[in-house]
Each structure stands twice: as structure tokens, then as C-alpha cells.
Amino acid sequence: MTETAVGSAAVGSKSQQAYEAVKARIVEGTYTPGYRLVLAKIAEDLGFSVVPVREAIRRLEAEGLVTFERNVGATVSGIDPTEYLYTMQTLSIVEGAATALSAPLIDSVAIARARAVNEEMRECLKHFDPVRFTALNQDFHGVLFEYCPNPHILDLVHRGWNRLASLRSSTFRFVPNRAHESVREHEALLELIESGADAETIEKAARHHRAATLDAYLAKAT
């Protein structure tokens, strides 16, 4: 491997680390909407040069988590209620479709994995941590839609989750009662899949589950 190739690999590795670190801080709410991302400061905190941090910020911009503002620089993107509404409506459709298409391919091992995650979510309710609950929620749904054979639908689902990432850390904090209902609805979804329910029934249940969170959030916001 040439020196240039070695240097490129090192930058790529650090760029990935920087991306994961900054994204985690956005999702956890450490970097809140509007927070100014000073590349030199982030690089210093991570012990990197500015180059991999800049690459990480560009990736996050492409995902919609970071915005570049003139005379300000990179800031954490916010989601206004209207954009949240549209994004959640879209996600309910594509995630519902992905879950329905996945259902025939989800085996007993995957069902057990999803149920174990849901039990962790149930335990999380006792000493509620909205950030951990949200991470587990994504893990649960990931099991249900990851077998979707349509890569285009899967891409739309991942884009929707990424777009909501900066706000989702506070969604269940804002409507904590919705978390209890969410766990119950997860079990109902698993029972539908286990029983071999038809695609239309599963898609409708998955869409209703997503829409219910949106309705709870908007009701509290108005």
C-alpha cells in the first residue's frame, strides 16, 4: 500500500469516528437544534485534525442533521412542527410497507430478538430514559423492516429515521405516556407477524403505530 493510500485509509477511519461521535451527540441532545458546530473545537475534543471532522460534518449535512448558514457556519438542524408532520407521515407509509414486506421473511429467531428488545423497553419505563428508549425503539423496528426485499423502500425508511434523529431524542421525553402505549403496540405487531396475518393487516397496524406517536406529539405541541 502506498503512503497516499495509507493516509487516505487513516483519514477515512477518523472521519467515520468523527461522524459517529458528532451524530451521537446530536441524537442524545448534547448538541441541540441551532447549536453551532465549531470544527476546530470538535477536532480538539476528539484528538483529530480538522479534515476528518469536516468530512463527518458533510455527511451529516447530507443526512439533514446539519445545516450550513451564511456567516454562521455549521449548525445542528432543527425540525419545525410542519416538517416533523410531513416526515412522520412519509415514514409511516414507507415503514409500514417495509414491515409488511418483511413479515413473511421474519423467522422465530428474529421475533425473539425483537421481543427481547421490547422487554428492555418495558424495563426502561420503570426509570424512564427517553434517549435509551428511543435507541431501543429504533432497534426494535430495525428487526421488523430489515428483511424488506425492496432496497428502495428500505433506503426511504433509513432516510426518514436519519431526518428525525435530531428530534427523536426528545420525542418520548415530550410525550412519555406514549412510550407505554408504544411497548404494547410492539407486542401486538409481533403477534400479528407470528400468526401469519396478511400484509394489509400488518401494514395498517405498523402505520397506525407510527401515526399514533405523531398524533400524541402534535396534540401536546398545540
Side-chain angles (χ1 to χ4, degrees):
M1 183 180 290
T2 66
E3 182 178 348
T4 301
V6 172
S8 177
V11 170
S13 176
K14 288 183 178 179
S15 175
Q16 179 65 25
Q17 292 177 49
Y19 165 81
E20 292 173 355
V22 176
K23 184 173 183 177
R25 292 173 186 179
I26 292 174
V27 172
E28 292 166 0
T30 302
Y31 294 163
T32 56
Y35 182 89
R36 186 170 174 235
L37 299 167
V38 181
L39 272 60
K41 179 63 168 64
I42 295 173
E44 181 183 353
D45 290 344
L46 297 176
F48 297 159
S49 70
V50 172
V51 175
V53 175
R54 183 180 293 114
E55 290 297 320
I57 296 300
R58 285 174 180 164
R59 284 181 63 185
L60 292 166
E61 182 189 17
E63 293 179 3
L65 296 179
V66 170
T67 303
F68 275 94
E69 298 181 30
R70 190 173 182 178
N71 300 323
V72 176
T75 60
V76 176
S77 301
I79 299 181
D80 63 39
T82 301
E83 189 171 354
Y84 180 75
L85 168 66
Y86 294 156
T87 304
M88 283 289 278
Q89 285 177 335
T90 302
L91 189 56
S92 72
I93 294 170
V94 296
E95 189 176 75
T99 301
L101 289 171
S102 289
L105 306 174
I106 298 176
D107 59 19
S108 59
V109 175
I111 288 286
R113 184 155 54 98
R115 186 162 276 133
V117 174
N118 202 40
E119 283 305 310
E120 285 189 65
M121 295 178 73
R122 197 186 307 278
E123 284 297 311
C124 188
L125 294 173
K126 296 177 181 178
H127 303 285
F128 192 52
D129 178 350
V131 174
R132 173 166 168 71
F133 188 88
T134 295
L136 290 169
N137 187 52
Q138 186 165 359
D139 289 344
F140 175 86
H141 285 285
V143 175
L144 299 193
F145 63 64
E146 70 182 3
Y147 295 94
C148 176
N150 187 320
H152 298 289
I153 292 178
L154 263 182
D155 179 62
L156 291 172
V157 173
H158 288 301
R159 284 174 181 269
W161 277 91
N162 285 334
R163 188 70 193 95
L164 292 171
S166 62
L167 183 64
R168 291 193 61 82
S169 64
S170 63
T171 301
F172 286 109
R173 181 182 292 117
F174 196 59
V175 285
N177 289 339
R178 175 64 196 145
H180 292 263
E181 296 168 3
S182 184
V183 170
R184 288 193 293 269
E185 290 166 12
H186 285 176
E187 180 56 36
L189 262 175
L190 292 176
E191 290 173 359
L192 283 176
I193 294 170
E194 281 183 310
S195 68
D198 61 86
E200 183 178 356
T201 299
I202 292 172
E203 181 171 357
K204 183 177 180 181
R207 288 181 63 175
H208 173 77
H209 171 66
R210 176 69 56 210
T213 298
L214 170 63
D215 292 343
Y217 182 85
L218 293 178
K220 191 72 176 289
T222 57

